[in-house]
Amino acid sequence: MAYNKVLIPEAKAGLNKFKMETARELGVQFTDYNGHLTSKECGSVGGQMVKKMVEQYEKNL
């Protein structure tokens, strides 16, 4: 089962842009191949993305 399936295919480009911006803010060098990155680095990007999305949602309530 794919847990990272994009529910709205049109959003994939936006999510990629968001991921790259977040990685850049954290100083993590994302590329097409990220096998050289640690789990901590990759996890920090995903965690920060979720944190930003939750903050934006709460702001719009």
Side-chain angles (χ1 to χ4, degrees), residues 4-59:
N4 61 350
K5 181 179 178 187
V6 178
L7 297 177
I8 303 171
E10 297 81 18
K12 190 168 186 168
L15 286 171
N16 269 339
K17 181 180 176 193
F18 183 44
K19 176 176 66 176
M20 298 307 270
E21 289 172 359
T22 303
R24 190 173 33 259
E25 289 173 8
L26 295 174
V28 177
Q29 298 297 319
F30 265 45
T31 61
D32 290 336
Y33 171 75
N34 295 310
H36 61 284
L37 297 175
T38 65
S39 296
K40 183 177 181 179
E41 290 172 316
C42 289
S44 67
V45 173
Q48 188 66 20
M49 287 174 67
V50 170
K51 182 179 177 183
K52 286 180 176 185
M53 287 186 271
V54 169
E55 287 173 352
Q56 185 64 36
Y57 177 80
E58 288 175 342
K59 185 174 141 182

